[in-house]
Amino acid sequence: MRSRRKGRELALRLLYGFDVLPRDIDDAFRVFWALTRYPEDIKTFAEQLVRGTLSHKIEIDTFIAENAINWSIERMAVVDRNILRCAVYELLYEDVIPPKVTINEALDISKKYGTNKSSAFINGILDNIHHRLAEKQAAASAAQRAENERTTS
């Protein structure tokens, strides 16, 4: 879906701006959309990603820091940090987007906007996060099955 890719790229640009110069989100969107022309579906998806990422930023940053061995959020390149934030938001809160799609999109965007080392760096962190989330989900499913068996016995 090209519109989703474009929405992610716009979300990265907006998140980068908020990271460098924090400001009122609604004012920033108003100005950004006034200066650009994109279809409504792209704008809606970009805003959803930005608003979601920023509203869960503390949790997302904590999650990234736990999975970025020997890296603090502050030490990461601004582009890499915001690609990770947006991807982790999708992994945690956007159930309709398959994790592999989220990770591949993040890697493709990192190749376009990051350094030559960005995609490997981002892939390592997102892969670790994806495995941790899959383990949590498997444990929760096993616990639910055990509970169902206990209550039906």
Side-chain angles (χ1 to χ4, degrees):
M1 270 189 177
R2 288 201 177 277
S3 63
R4 292 244 176 188
R5 166 69 61 84
K6 191 61 173 170
R8 286 181 179 95
E9 289 178 3
L10 292 172
L12 171 62
R13 289 170 57 187
L14 286 156
L15 289 168
Y16 184 101
F18 286 116
D19 206 3
V20 175
L21 181 65
R23 59 201 174 285
D24 179 73
I25 192 168
D26 293 318
D27 288 343
F29 281 131
R30 203 170 10 267
V31 170
F32 188 79
W33 299 135
L35 296 172
T36 59
R37 292 178 192 235
Y38 292 100
E40 204 56 42
D41 63 325
I42 292 174
K43 290 169 31 174
T44 300
F45 185 60
E47 280 197 35
Q48 175 185 335
L49 293 176
V50 172
R51 288 182 190 279
T53 299
L54 293 177
S55 67
H56 297 284
K57 186 177 166 208
I58 294 170
E59 180 183 358
I60 289 168
D61 282 359
T62 300
F63 210 71
I64 292 169
E66 290 171 354
N67 289 279
I69 296 153
N70 298 325
W71 281 90
S72 67
I73 292 289
E74 298 78 24
R75 274 188 56 215
M76 294 177 189
V78 178
V79 169
D80 294 354
R81 175 172 58 230
N82 285 292
I83 291 171
L84 283 166
R85 283 175 175 158
C86 194
V88 170
Y89 167 75
E90 284 189 44
L91 290 171
L92 293 174
Y93 300 104
E94 294 292 330
D95 297 0
V96 298
I97 302 171
K100 298 279 187 199
V101 170
T102 295
I103 293 169
N104 286 335
E105 287 286 301
L107 296 178
D108 287 346
I109 291 169
S110 72
K111 289 173 186 172
K112 184 174 180 179
Y113 294 98
T115 68
N116 60 349
K117 295 182 181 181
S118 292
S119 64
F121 175 72
I122 289 169
N123 187 47
I125 295 170
L126 290 179
D127 189 54
N128 194 25
I129 289 171
H130 174 60
H131 287 302
R132 281 188 62 199
L133 291 173
E135 288 170 2
K136 273 185 170 179
Q137 188 175 21
S141 293
Q144 183 63 46
R145 281 193 305 277
E147 178 62 24
N148 289 344
E149 288 175 9
R150 188 183 66 74
T151 58
T152 58
S153 299

